[in-house]
Amino acid sequence: MSTYSLSDGLASGAPRTSRAPWLATWIRESGVGVLASVAWIAFGLSCLWWEDVGDWSRTHSLGIAALVIAAVALFGTVASDYLGSAGRALHTRAPWLVALGVFLTLWEVATAKFAWLPLPFFPPPQSIIEVYTDDLPKLLDSVFASVKLQLGGYLIGATIGFLTGVSIGWSRAVGYWVHPVLRFIGPLPATAWLPIAFFTFPSSWSASTFLIALATGFPVTVLTWSGVASVSNAYYDVARTLGAKPSFLVLKVAIPAALPHVFVGLFMGLGSSFAVLVVAEMIGVKAGLGWYLQWAQGWAAYANMYAALIVMSLLCSGAITLLFAIRDRLLVWQKGTVKW
Amino acid sequence: MVAAAALAEAPTHATAGAALDIEQVSHAFDIDGAELPVLSDVSISVEPGEFVALLGPSGCGKSTLLRLVAGLDKPRAGSLREDEVRIIRPHPSRVVVFQDPTLFPWRSVWDNVALGLEAQGILKSQRQRVDDALDLVGLSSFRKAYPYQLSGGMAQRVALARALVNDPRILILDEPLGKLDSLTRITMQAELVSLWQRKGFTTLLVTHDAEEALVLANRVIVFSDRPARVKADIRVDRPYPRHRGDPYLADLRRQILGLLGLDATW
């Protein structure tokens, strides 16, 4: 079989490649880019072709914007060779552009045009765009409030957790007293403190800061501690024979050696503090994205909820990206770290 | 003599080797309540600038003796003195190179070598010494590399530079070449001898390789099984560089292996 089909394939394949080799190459190189452009044209046309079933003001602009994106994608694909790194970036992301275009087209058709999905609960893309353009000031205020609260609580929690972890890992006496407390209180979800915190703290803002710090502090403490505790004695021996004092052993041996663990703790703390932030904002704080979500739900403004969710996910993802960037910078000496 | 000649042209911070007196040292470990003796009444007197190899079966307590000399542990009985000063804690005049390079993975090669000077708070004024030490082991072009980028031999050379930058008066080598491949090992043995000849420090080398001991040291001390006692103290009066096939050394090697209970095979 192999001999026969091989010669057969060669015989029939040879003239085809000699007839239009550039076509095959062109399809392989630019096919997906062109497809992306087609998908976005479809999205644009789906906006402009049919009448909306509801009353949305941004349908026309969205359709035009989709066509512009399609044009840019097409131009970028055709002129890829002349665009350098931007061209290559477009090339690697083209499959995602296709998927996004198809998804948006389906979404547009299923909601705004034929209402296959029940309407107030599944708003069309243009209504979310409308939120970003028309409700921008309130949304920005919420973003600002959330970032401020999260940043304050996280920094306090991370700092205290780090210092506590180093102290427990280094000093037996501190470990004796702090470890039982940590075991007792640490595993408690920070949100369980919510009712008490809102009573005992002078303001809901300080109560939320405390809760976020608590949620961050526990994983940071435990992982810093385990990081310091797992530093090989050989490092201390080397440093001591070279004349290191105890302060040098802590600052220049224990802490740098424990940093990979510390970053795992910071990452976990970030995740659990997001959860606390949203809950705190929904229940007590009268600002922030959690509050915005709650408020939008009260008005049955579903588009606003989706809009806020998208912003929230961008912020959380951005925060983790930032943390990983800092880690990659500090831990360049590590091989094979996970790329976020 | 070679050491003295090198010293005359060495920079001012260089110091000659120190004398080391180990007097009736005994040591033991507590393992689950039971006492495990590792050193039994060991007395060794090392002249300044001598290269002494400590040879013995593995696990006999040689490395423990080195930790006592370094000041990392305190002996149960007896005393150790560096130039008549009792050793009670680590001091940068006695630096150890361990079997594993134990470079700090978060520091570049240069920063690893700078460790001792930094710990002593004199790095700012004496950065040149770090560059010199890297030159000495031939790794100047790797100053910015991280330990994971180095081969085993290179890492051990960095560890050597990290020790030498402190201008130790006693260099303590705990099987530093044990894990290297045989070619790298032979090269580094030659480098060690030439460094010792140039710098004139007293050297204490733990090894379980009789040939290595004979090629490097001018005195070989053979230990018994645990608890380690001094079984023989052999002078090796041969000029450097020594040849591995030297019949005189081969004869000594046979004697030493006999002391270690391996005469039947040789």
Side-chain angles (χ1 to χ4, degrees):
Chain A
M1 180 200 169
S2 60
T3 328
Y4 172 74
S5 61
L6 191 65
S7 53
D8 184 49
L10 279 174
S12 61
R16 203 183 303 148
T17 47
S18 66
R19 198 187 308 145
W22 60 270
L23 189 65
T25 322
W26 187 81
I27 288 177
R28 201 166 50 243
E29 290 293 315
S30 312
V32 185
V34 173
L35 213 59
S37 182
V38 169
W40 281 82
I41 289 172
F43 176 44
L45 291 182
S46 76
C47 289
L48 302 175
W49 192 263
W50 295 287
E51 280 298 310
D52 282 348
V53 294
D55 180 26
W56 296 292
S57 58
R58 305 284 170 198
T59 311
H60 189 72
S61 333
L62 185 61
I64 301 294
L67 292 179
V68 169
I69 291 174
V72 169
L74 189 64
F75 171 76
T77 305
V78 173
S80 177
D81 294 344
Y82 309 99
L83 293 174
S85 62
R88 276 192 301 280
L90 182 71
H91 187 78
T92 53
R93 284 167 182 76
W96 263 107
L97 266 179
V98 177
L100 213 59
V102 170
F103 171 73
L104 287 170
T105 310
L106 288 177
W107 182 9
E108 177 69 25
V109 172
T111 53
K113 304 306 178 184
F114 299 102
W116 293 331
L117 294 168
L119 239 188
F121 312 108
F122 295 94
Q126 53 264 47
S127 73
I128 290 172
I129 300 289
E130 212 175 309
V131 174
Y132 290 135
T133 53
D134 297 7
D135 205 21
L136 191 64
K138 193 189 264 170
L139 208 51
L140 280 182
D141 280 350
S142 301
V143 168
F144 183 69
S146 283
V147 169
K148 202 173 95 179
L149 188 57
Q150 167 70 24
L151 207 61
Y154 185 73
L155 290 181
I156 293 170
T159 310
I160 293 176
F162 176 74
L163 295 176
T164 316
V166 172
S167 317
I168 307 175
W170 189 256
S171 153
R172 206 165 290 230
V174 175
Y176 177 82
W177 289 105
V178 178
H179 182 211
V181 179
L182 195 69
R183 272 182 80 162
F184 186 65
I185 293 176
L188 202 62
T191 39
W193 290 88
L194 233 140
I196 298 178
F198 279 110
F199 272 119
T200 46
F201 277 81
S203 65
S204 60
W205 184 81
S206 57
S208 313
T209 303
F210 165 75
L211 292 175
I212 291 167
L214 199 66
T216 310
F218 177 59
V220 174
T221 305
V222 172
L223 277 140
T224 306
W225 167 31
S226 86
V228 170
S230 66
V231 178
S232 161
N233 273 327
Y235 291 144
Y236 295 127
D237 283 347
V238 165
R240 282 172 63 208
T241 59
L242 295 174
K245 294 167 198 62
S247 62
F248 188 91
L249 294 182
V250 177
L251 297 174
K252 301 291 178 107
V253 183
I255 290 177
L259 265 194
H261 283 81
V262 174
F263 271 98
V264 176
L266 287 172
F267 172 70
M268 287 167 63
L270 199 56
S272 55
S273 67
F274 287 150
V276 176
L277 171 77
V278 175
V279 175
E281 283 177 344
M282 281 181 170
I283 291 181
V285 190
K286 293 279 172 280
L289 285 167
W291 167 82
Y292 187 94
L293 272 178
Q294 192 79 349
W295 168 85
Q297 194 210 20
W299 288 96
Y302 294 96
N304 295 57
M305 294 175 67
Y306 286 101
L309 268 183
I310 291 170
V311 172
M312 208 184 258
S313 111
L314 287 177
L315 281 178
C316 294
S317 177
I320 289 175
T321 306
L322 190 66
L323 183 71
F324 275 55
I326 295 171
R327 184 200 63 168
D328 290 347
R329 219 185 153 74
L330 282 178
L331 304 185
V332 278
W333 51 272
Q334 270 196 316
K335 266 194 301 187
T337 46
V338 178
K339 285 274 166 281
W340 164 249
Chain B
M1 297 135 277
V2 189
L7 194 71
E9 60 187 55
T12 47
H13 53 74
T15 36
L20 174 70
D21 288 297
I22 301 171
E23 273 177 19
Q24 296 173 328
V25 164
S26 297
H27 198 61
F29 292 131
D30 283 326
I31 293 175
D32 290 333
E35 187 152 293
L36 180 74
V38 280
L39 293 172
S40 162
D41 198 25
V42 174
S43 293
I44 301 167
S45 182
V46 181
E47 301 286 313
E50 249 186 331
F51 196 134
V52 179
L54 309 179
L55 195 67
S58 81
C60 78
K62 307 171 299 246
S63 297
T64 308
L65 184 62
L66 287 198
R67 289 183 65 85
L68 298 179
V69 174
L72 288 168
D73 295 324
K74 288 190 186 69
R76 291 278 172 96
S79 68
L80 298 99
R81 284 197 298 276
E82 176 192 1
D83 275 348
E84 302 306 316
V85 182
R86 193 158 178 166
I87 295 171
I88 44 171
R89 63 173 71 88
H91 188 275
S93 71
R94 286 168 271 119
V95 184
V96 191
V97 179
F98 295 96
Q99 182 171 17
D100 291 308
T102 42
L103 301 180
F104 290 8
W106 57 89
R107 284 172 168 248
S108 66
V109 164
W110 197 93
D111 288 333
N112 262 291
V113 176
L115 201 65
L117 302 181
E118 193 182 331
Q120 295 155 48
I122 52 173
L123 179 61
K124 282 218 175 81
S125 56
Q126 316 217 350
R127 300 175 66 85
Q128 186 59 40
R129 283 170 67 179
V130 180
D131 297 327
D132 293 344
L134 275 172
D135 278 342
L136 208 59
V137 297
L139 284 176
S140 299
S141 51
F142 283 87
R143 66 186 67 221
K144 284 184 182 148
Y146 280 96
Y148 77 85
Q149 296 164 311
L150 304 178
S151 71
M154 280 152 69
Q156 200 54 277
R157 287 222 289 276
V158 175
L160 200 60
R162 180 175 64 183
L164 295 176
V165 75
N166 302 286
D167 278 321
R169 307 195 59 209
I170 302 179
L171 183 66
I172 303 167
L173 304 167
D174 189 358
E175 291 187 48
L177 312 181
K179 287 190 176 171
L180 301 180
D181 64 275
S182 53
L183 281 178
T184 315
R185 205 178 153 126
I186 289 169
T187 323
M188 285 201 58
Q189 284 172 349
E191 283 176 25
L192 261 181
V193 168
S194 87
L195 283 170
W196 165 67
Q197 289 179 320
R198 266 188 284 171
K199 292 280 186 177
F201 43 70
T202 308
T203 307
L204 226 54
L205 167 77
V206 155
T207 178
H208 51 235
D209 180 350
E211 187 185 274
E212 180 171 279
L214 289 167
V215 168
L216 295 178
N218 45 25
R219 193 172 155 200
V220 178
I221 294 175
V222 183
F223 283 96
S224 70
D225 232 329
R226 197 185 55 236
R229 280 172 294 104
V230 175
K231 215 171 184 181
D233 191 338
I234 300 161
R235 298 223 152 259
V236 188
D237 274 329
R238 298 302 269 183
Y240 297 94
R242 289 176 181 165
H243 193 268
R244 258 151 245 277
D246 185 339
Y248 177 82
L249 294 183
D251 189 46
L252 274 180
R253 179 159 178 258
R254 210 163 11 249
Q255 279 180 41
I256 289 170
L257 290 174
L259 286 167
L260 293 170
L262 289 170
D263 36 353
T265 46
W266 291 85

